[in-house]
Amino acid sequence: MFKKLPLNLKEFDKLITDPFCIFEKKNFLEDELYNDLRNNFPKEELFEGFHENGKKIFLNNKQDKFFKFLKVNKIWNNFYKSVNNKTFANLMIKLINEELKKIDNRKNIKNFFFHERYQNTLYKKFQRKILKLVNINNIRVGFEFSIIKRECFIPPHCDTENKLLSLMLYFPPSIKNQNFMIPENIGTNFYKIKQNSNKNLDTWKSKYLNDNDAKFFYDNYNIFYKSQFQENKLIGFIKNHRSWHDVTMFKENFLRRSLNINIFLI
């Protein structure tokens, strides 16, 4: 399924560690699997999640429609099971462990208990609370399909406080299809503060910036890396107080389809 996923960040095709850790792996999946996943990407009408700021729509594993989709789609159901498990979560945490130690809010995190599905029943709340009392961190895998359409975007943000790791897999149309044009600059932009700026917006507690705050942000921060919107490439980055990123608005009639696999503390 995975094409020899590196066990060390230094073995990835691309590695950046400052101001936060970003890594990329080309040809992440077996070609046949990747194309099957692309051809079976869920239809837009299934997406019930919506971000008012930027107009991104999404379908994720906290929604009932997500699991209804998996029941009728064997390809995605099998892939979901391959990443939504203790083995994969532990592999990812082991991969980024040395980078986590560099982050004040993460350096004391050691022991983990994996939850297959996020549930807020009284029993699950009690279970998570007891584990925290004995210094065991509860984690889950977030699995989210994303679609960004014409004149939509993702505003600058540093990710939520409980996210450890973000993994992204892009699904552009097949290069065999000649009836499309991929817009420029629709990958993921990563930012750092300008050298001459004295307006530092770095923050641990982050949310999507509104229009006014975003304008102020762009005046004081520069893109230092662009992850190109390419097929079958895994992009990962670790949340810290400087992990600013966004997706630029585009005007072409195009669906920017991607998958986000995230490791969360719960």
Side-chain angles (χ1 to χ4, degrees), residues 139-156:
I139 62 169
R140 73 175 182 93
V141 172
F143 196 98
E144 180 172 284
F145 298 106
S146 168
I147 292 179
I148 300 175
K149 299 191 288 185
R150 178 182 179 181
E151 296 186 346
C152 300
F153 60 98
I154 297 179

PDB file of all heavy atoms in Angstrom, residues 139-156:
ATOM      1  N   ILE A 139      -5.205   9.913  22.021  1.00  0.00           N
ATOM      2  CA  ILE A 139      -5.025  10.379  20.646  1.00  0.00           C
ATOM      3  C   ILE A 139      -6.037   9.699  19.717  1.00  0.00           C
ATOM      4  O   ILE A 139      -6.551   8.623  20.019  1.00  0.00           O
ATOM      5  CB  ILE A 139      -3.599  10.129  20.119  1.00  0.00           C
ATOM      6  CG1 ILE A 139      -3.274   8.632  20.099  1.00  0.00           C
ATOM      7  CG2 ILE A 139      -2.582  10.904  20.918  1.00  0.00           C
ATOM      8  CD1 ILE A 139      -1.991   8.306  19.352  1.00  0.00           C
ATOM      9  N   ARG A 140      -6.308  10.353  18.622  1.00  0.00           N
ATOM     10  CA  ARG A 140      -7.138   9.782  17.563  1.00  0.00           C
ATOM     11  C   ARG A 140      -6.596  10.234  16.223  1.00  0.00           C
ATOM     12  O   ARG A 140      -5.843  11.218  16.131  1.00  0.00           O
ATOM     13  CB  ARG A 140      -8.600  10.213  17.708  1.00  0.00           C
ATOM     14  CG  ARG A 140      -8.866  11.664  17.328  1.00  0.00           C
ATOM     15  CD  ARG A 140     -10.352  11.991  17.370  1.00  0.00           C
ATOM     16  NE  ARG A 140     -10.613  13.369  16.967  1.00  0.00           N
ATOM     17  CZ  ARG A 140     -10.905  13.741  15.719  1.00  0.00           C
ATOM     18  NH1 ARG A 140     -10.982  12.843  14.742  1.00  0.00           N
ATOM     19  NH2 ARG A 140     -11.134  15.017  15.433  1.00  0.00           N
ATOM     20  N   VAL A 141      -7.003   9.547  15.175  1.00  0.00           N
ATOM     21  CA  VAL A 141      -6.668   9.932  13.812  1.00  0.00           C
ATOM     22  C   VAL A 141      -7.859  10.667  13.210  1.00  0.00           C
ATOM     23  O   VAL A 141      -8.973  10.126  13.164  1.00  0.00           O
ATOM     24  CB  VAL A 141      -6.309   8.703  12.956  1.00  0.00           C
ATOM     25  CG1 VAL A 141      -6.147   9.099  11.484  1.00  0.00           C
ATOM     26  CG2 VAL A 141      -5.029   8.049  13.448  1.00  0.00           C
ATOM     27  N   GLY A 142      -7.642  11.901  12.788  1.00  0.00           N
ATOM     28  CA  GLY A 142      -8.661  12.632  12.038  1.00  0.00           C
ATOM     29  C   GLY A 142      -8.492  12.345  10.555  1.00  0.00           C
ATOM     30  O   GLY A 142      -7.368  12.348  10.040  1.00  0.00           O
ATOM     31  N   PHE A 143      -9.580  12.077   9.880  1.00  0.00           N
ATOM     32  CA  PHE A 143      -9.546  11.703   8.464  1.00  0.00           C
ATOM     33  C   PHE A 143     -10.585  12.563   7.757  1.00  0.00           C
ATOM     34  O   PHE A 143     -11.784  12.397   7.981  1.00  0.00           O
ATOM     35  CB  PHE A 143      -9.886  10.216   8.342  1.00  0.00           C
ATOM     36  CG  PHE A 143      -9.540   9.560   7.037  1.00  0.00           C
ATOM     37  CD1 PHE A 143      -8.365   8.836   6.902  1.00  0.00           C
ATOM     38  CD2 PHE A 143     -10.406   9.634   5.952  1.00  0.00           C
ATOM     39  CE1 PHE A 143      -8.050   8.190   5.712  1.00  0.00           C
ATOM     40  CE2 PHE A 143     -10.100   9.002   4.761  1.00  0.00           C
ATOM     41  CZ  PHE A 143      -8.920   8.277   4.645  1.00  0.00           C
ATOM     42  N   GLU A 144     -10.120  13.487   6.920  1.00  0.00           N
ATOM     43  CA  GLU A 144     -11.039  14.477   6.348  1.00  0.00           C
ATOM     44  C   GLU A 144     -10.829  14.665   4.850  1.00  0.00           C
ATOM     45  O   GLU A 144      -9.728  14.965   4.400  1.00  0.00           O
ATOM     46  CB  GLU A 144     -10.869  15.817   7.058  1.00  0.00           C
ATOM     47  CG  GLU A 144     -11.787  16.920   6.543  1.00  0.00           C
ATOM     48  CD  GLU A 144     -11.728  18.168   7.388  1.00  0.00           C
ATOM     49  OE1 GLU A 144     -12.314  18.150   8.486  1.00  0.00           O
ATOM     50  OE2 GLU A 144     -11.088  19.142   6.962  1.00  0.00           O
ATOM     51  N   PHE A 145     -11.905  14.490   4.096  1.00  0.00           N
ATOM     52  CA  PHE A 145     -11.930  14.856   2.687  1.00  0.00           C
ATOM     53  C   PHE A 145     -12.207  16.352   2.581  1.00  0.00           C
ATOM     54  O   PHE A 145     -13.070  16.880   3.278  1.00  0.00           O
ATOM     55  CB  PHE A 145     -13.023  14.100   1.935  1.00  0.00           C
ATOM     56  CG  PHE A 145     -12.856  12.611   1.927  1.00  0.00           C
ATOM     57  CD1 PHE A 145     -13.672  11.793   2.711  1.00  0.00           C
ATOM     58  CD2 PHE A 145     -11.890  12.004   1.129  1.00  0.00           C
ATOM     59  CE1 PHE A 145     -13.524  10.423   2.701  1.00  0.00           C
ATOM     60  CE2 PHE A 145     -11.737  10.633   1.103  1.00  0.00           C
ATOM     61  CZ  PHE A 145     -12.561   9.835   1.896  1.00  0.00           C
ATOM     62  N   SER A 146     -11.485  17.019   1.696  1.00  0.00           N
ATOM     63  CA  SER A 146     -11.621  18.466   1.555  1.00  0.00           C
ATOM     64  C   SER A 146     -11.839  18.834   0.096  1.00  0.00           C
ATOM     65  O   SER A 146     -11.206  18.266  -0.798  1.00  0.00           O
ATOM     66  CB  SER A 146     -10.354  19.152   2.077  1.00  0.00           C
ATOM     67  OG  SER A 146     -10.315  20.521   1.709  1.00  0.00           O
ATOM     68  N   ILE A 147     -12.753  19.783  -0.133  1.00  0.00           N
ATOM     69  CA  ILE A 147     -12.948  20.360  -1.468  1.00  0.00           C
ATOM     70  C   ILE A 147     -12.951  21.884  -1.330  1.00  0.00           C
ATOM     71  O   ILE A 147     -13.680  22.443  -0.509  1.00  0.00           O
ATOM     72  CB  ILE A 147     -14.259  19.902  -2.127  1.00  0.00           C
ATOM     73  CG1 ILE A 147     -14.195  18.405  -2.476  1.00  0.00           C
ATOM     74  CG2 ILE A 147     -14.542  20.715  -3.399  1.00  0.00           C
ATOM     75  CD1 ILE A 147     -15.478  17.877  -3.116  1.00  0.00           C
ATOM     76  N   ILE A 148     -12.115  22.529  -2.128  1.00  0.00           N
ATOM     77  CA  ILE A 148     -12.107  23.987  -2.221  1.00  0.00           C
ATOM     78  C   ILE A 148     -12.440  24.340  -3.658  1.00  0.00           C
ATOM     79  O   ILE A 148     -11.792  23.851  -4.591  1.00  0.00           O
ATOM     80  CB  ILE A 148     -10.740  24.570  -1.817  1.00  0.00           C
ATOM     81  CG1 ILE A 148     -10.410  24.172  -0.378  1.00  0.00           C
ATOM     82  CG2 ILE A 148     -10.754  26.098  -1.936  1.00  0.00           C
ATOM     83  CD1 ILE A 148      -9.030  24.587   0.065  1.00  0.00           C
ATOM     84  N   LYS A 149     -13.450  25.168  -3.840  1.00  0.00           N
ATOM     85  CA  LYS A 149     -13.941  25.485  -5.182  1.00  0.00           C
ATOM     86  C   LYS A 149     -13.532  26.893  -5.613  1.00  0.00           C
ATOM     87  O   LYS A 149     -12.849  27.619  -4.875  1.00  0.00           O
ATOM     88  CB  LYS A 149     -15.468  25.343  -5.209  1.00  0.00           C
ATOM     89  CG  LYS A 149     -15.953  23.928  -4.873  1.00  0.00           C
ATOM     90  CD  LYS A 149     -17.424  23.737  -5.150  1.00  0.00           C
ATOM     91  CE  LYS A 149     -18.274  24.480  -4.140  1.00  0.00           C
ATOM     92  NZ  LYS A 149     -19.725  24.186  -4.334  1.00  0.00           N
ATOM     93  N   ARG A 150     -13.964  27.242  -6.787  1.00  0.00           N
ATOM     94  CA  ARG A 150     -13.678  28.557  -7.362  1.00  0.00           C
ATOM     95  C   ARG A 150     -14.022  29.683  -6.385  1.00  0.00           C
ATOM     96  O   ARG A 150     -15.066  29.673  -5.753  1.00  0.00           O
ATOM     97  CB  ARG A 150     -14.494  28.711  -8.659  1.00  0.00           C
ATOM     98  CG  ARG A 150     -14.343  30.033  -9.359  1.00  0.00           C
ATOM     99  CD  ARG A 150     -15.224  30.070 -10.588  1.00  0.00           C
ATOM    100  NE  ARG A 150     -15.122  31.343 -11.291  1.00  0.00           N
ATOM    101  CZ  ARG A 150     -15.806  31.637 -12.399  1.00  0.00           C
ATOM    102  NH1 ARG A 150     -16.635  30.748 -12.918  1.00  0.00           N
ATOM    103  NH2 ARG A 150     -15.645  32.814 -12.969  1.00  0.00           N
ATOM    104  N   GLU A 151     -13.096  30.653  -6.261  1.00  0.00           N
ATOM    105  CA  GLU A 151     -13.221  31.823  -5.397  1.00  0.00           C
ATOM    106  C   GLU A 151     -13.363  31.459  -3.913  1.00  0.00           C
ATOM    107  O   GLU A 151     -13.934  32.215  -3.127  1.00  0.00           O
ATOM    108  CB  GLU A 151     -14.379  32.711  -5.868  1.00  0.00           C
ATOM    109  CG  GLU A 151     -14.145  33.293  -7.268  1.00  0.00           C
ATOM    110  CD  GLU A 151     -15.207  34.295  -7.689  1.00  0.00           C
ATOM    111  OE1 GLU A 151     -16.264  34.347  -7.026  1.00  0.00           O
ATOM    112  OE2 GLU A 151     -14.968  35.007  -8.675  1.00  0.00           O
ATOM    113  N   CYS A 152     -12.836  30.283  -3.560  1.00  0.00           N
ATOM    114  CA  CYS A 152     -12.792  29.876  -2.159  1.00  0.00           C
ATOM    115  C   CYS A 152     -11.326  29.734  -1.736  1.00  0.00           C
ATOM    116  O   CYS A 152     -10.427  29.758  -2.571  1.00  0.00           O
ATOM    117  CB  CYS A 152     -13.537  28.552  -1.961  1.00  0.00           C
ATOM    118  SG  CYS A 152     -15.286  28.644  -2.440  1.00  0.00           S
ATOM    119  N   PHE A 153     -11.089  29.587  -0.435  1.00  0.00           N
ATOM    120  CA  PHE A 153      -9.718  29.589   0.066  1.00  0.00           C
ATOM    121  C   PHE A 153      -9.693  29.074   1.500  1.00  0.00           C
ATOM    122  O   PHE A 153     -10.750  28.821   2.101  1.00  0.00           O
ATOM    123  CB  PHE A 153      -9.131  31.008   0.022  1.00  0.00           C
ATOM    124  CG  PHE A 153      -9.899  32.020   0.847  1.00  0.00           C
ATOM    125  CD1 PHE A 153      -9.470  32.349   2.132  1.00  0.00           C
ATOM    126  CD2 PHE A 153     -11.058  32.623   0.348  1.00  0.00           C
ATOM    127  CE1 PHE A 153     -10.177  33.258   2.900  1.00  0.00           C
ATOM    128  CE2 PHE A 153     -11.774  33.541   1.113  1.00  0.00           C
ATOM    129  CZ  PHE A 153     -11.330  33.852   2.397  1.00  0.00           C
ATOM    130  N   ILE A 154      -8.494  28.930   2.058  1.00  0.00           N
ATOM    131  CA  ILE A 154      -8.316  28.674   3.484  1.00  0.00           C
ATOM    132  C   ILE A 154      -7.499  29.819   4.054  1.00  0.00           C
ATOM    133  O   ILE A 154      -6.381  30.072   3.599  1.00  0.00           O
ATOM    134  CB  ILE A 154      -7.605  27.330   3.746  1.00  0.00           C
ATOM    135  CG1 ILE A 154      -8.451  26.160   3.225  1.00  0.00           C
ATOM    136  CG2 ILE A 154      -7.336  27.159   5.240  1.00  0.00           C
ATOM    137  CD1 ILE A 154      -7.800  24.806   3.416  1.00  0.00           C
ATOM    138  N   PRO A 155      -8.020  30.547   5.040  1.00  0.00           N
ATOM    139  CA  PRO A 155      -7.295  31.692   5.609  1.00  0.00           C
ATOM    140  C   PRO A 155      -6.059  31.246   6.384  1.00  0.00           C
ATOM    141  O   PRO A 155      -5.943  30.072   6.768  1.00  0.00           O
ATOM    142  CB  PRO A 155      -8.328  32.327   6.550  1.00  0.00           C
ATOM    143  CG  PRO A 155      -9.638  31.709   6.193  1.00  0.00           C
ATOM    144  CD  PRO A 155      -9.335  30.359   5.658  1.00  0.00           C
ATOM    145  N   PRO A 156      -5.145  32.165   6.674  1.00  0.00           N
ATOM    146  CA  PRO A 156      -3.971  31.830   7.486  1.00  0.00           C
ATOM    147  C   PRO A 156      -4.379  31.333   8.871  1.00  0.00           C
ATOM    148  O   PRO A 156      -5.297  31.870   9.485  1.00  0.00           O
ATOM    149  CB  PRO A 156      -3.218  33.171   7.578  1.00  0.00           C
ATOM    150  CG  PRO A 156      -3.724  33.991   6.446  1.00  0.00           C
ATOM    151  CD  PRO A 156      -5.140  33.579   6.238  1.00  0.00           C
TER     152      PRO A 156
END
